[in-house]
C-alpha cells in the first residue's frame, strides 16, 4: 500500500472510530458530522468526503464493531456445534459466545437498538445480526422448533435481553450465567436433550 493510500485508510478508520464512540455516547441522531470531525481530529469536509451520509457511515461503524466483537460466523459456529453432541451444550456455547460479543460491543449495540426505528441503516445492520442469530439458534437446537419455542430461545440469546440484565446491575459474568441457566431451562421445557 502506498503512503497516500495508507494515510487515507488511517483517516477513514479514525473517522469510523470517532463516529462509533459518539454514537455510543449520544446516539446517532444527536451526533453531527462536526462532532465526528472534532473527535477524529479532521475537518468536517473530510468526514463528508469519506462518508457523505449515514447510508455509508453506519455500515462502516457496524463492520468496525464486528471487528471488535468478532462474532462467530455461521460456518465457525457450525464447526463448533459439530463436536458437541447435546443441544444444550451447543446452546450454552452460543450463549457464552454471544454474551462475550455483547459485552465487547454493548455501547454501540445499545445505541443501535435504541434508534433502529429512526435510522434505517441501523435497522439493516441489526437485521443482519438478528438473522445470523436466528440461524445459529436453529443450528444449536439441532432441529426446527415450533415458532414460539424458537422465538423464546432467540430472545434469551439476543442483545436486548442481555442489555436488560446488564442494565439491572448484573456483571457481564452474572448476565452470562443467568442466560445460560434460562436457556438450559427453556431447552428442557421444549424437549431438547
Amino acid at each position: 500500500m502506498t503512503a497516500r493510500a495508507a494515510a487515507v485508510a488511517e483517516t477513514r478508520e479514525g473517522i469510523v472510530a470517532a463516529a462509533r464512540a459518539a454514537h455510543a455516547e449520544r446516539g446517532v441522531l444527536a451526533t453531527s458530522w462536526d462532532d465526528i470531525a472534532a473527535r477524529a481530529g479532521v475537518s468536517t469536509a473530510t468526514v463528508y468526503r469519506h462518508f457523505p451520509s449515514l447510508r455509508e457511515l453506519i455500515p462502516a461503524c457496524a463492520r468496525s464493531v464486528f471487528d471488535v466483537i468478532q462474532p462467530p460466523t455461521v460456518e465457525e459456529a457450525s464447526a463448533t456445534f459439530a463436536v458437541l453432541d447435546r443441544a444444550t451444550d451447543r446452546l450454552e456455547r452460543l450463549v457464552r459466545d454471544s454474551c462475550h460479543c455483547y459485552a465487547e460491543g454493548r455501547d454501540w449495540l445499545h445505541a443501535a437498538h435504541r434508534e433502529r426505528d429512526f435510522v434505517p441503516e441501523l435497522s439493516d445492520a441489526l437485521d443482519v445480526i438478528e438473522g445470523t442469530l436466528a440461524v445459529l439458534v436453529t443450528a444449536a437446537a439441532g432441529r426446527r422448533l415450533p415458532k414460539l419455542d424458537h422465538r423464546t430461545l432467540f430472545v434469551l440469546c439476543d442483545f436486548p435481553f442481555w442489555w436488560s440484565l446488564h442494565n439491572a446491575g448484573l456483571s457481564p459474568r452474572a448476565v452470562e450465567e443467568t442466560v445460560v441457566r434460562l436457556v438450559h431451562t427453556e431447552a428442557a421445557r421444549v424437549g431438547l436433550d
Side-chain angles (χ1 to χ4, degrees), residues 84-179:
L84 299 172
D85 293 332
R86 297 176 48 224
T88 52
D89 293 338
R90 293 188 298 270
L91 286 164
E92 181 173 334
R93 178 63 185 261
L94 175 59
V95 166
R96 291 191 188 284
D97 287 349
S98 297
C99 286
H100 171 74
C101 292
Y102 299 154
E104 292 294 316
R106 68 179 166 247
D107 296 331
W108 189 85
L109 290 168
H110 176 61
H113 276 274
R114 193 175 57 236
E115 295 186 78
R116 80 182 300 173
D117 291 339
F118 308 107
V119 181
E121 295 79 13
L122 288 174
S123 186
D124 293 344
L126 293 174
D127 286 348
V128 169
I129 294 170
E130 291 165 355
T132 302
L133 180 60
V135 169
L136 291 173
V137 167
T138 299
R143 63 180 163 93
R144 291 265 177 222
L145 294 168
K147 187 174 184 176
L148 178 60
D149 296 337
H150 185 272
R151 287 302 297 167
T152 301
L153 284 169
F154 173 86
V155 167
L156 290 172
C157 295
D158 198 14
F159 175 78
F161 186 67
W162 182 95
W163 178 261
S164 66
L165 294 172
H166 170 73
N167 202 37
L170 276 67
S171 70
R173 180 74 177 155
V175 171
E176 182 178 322
E177 294 307 321
T178 300
V179 176

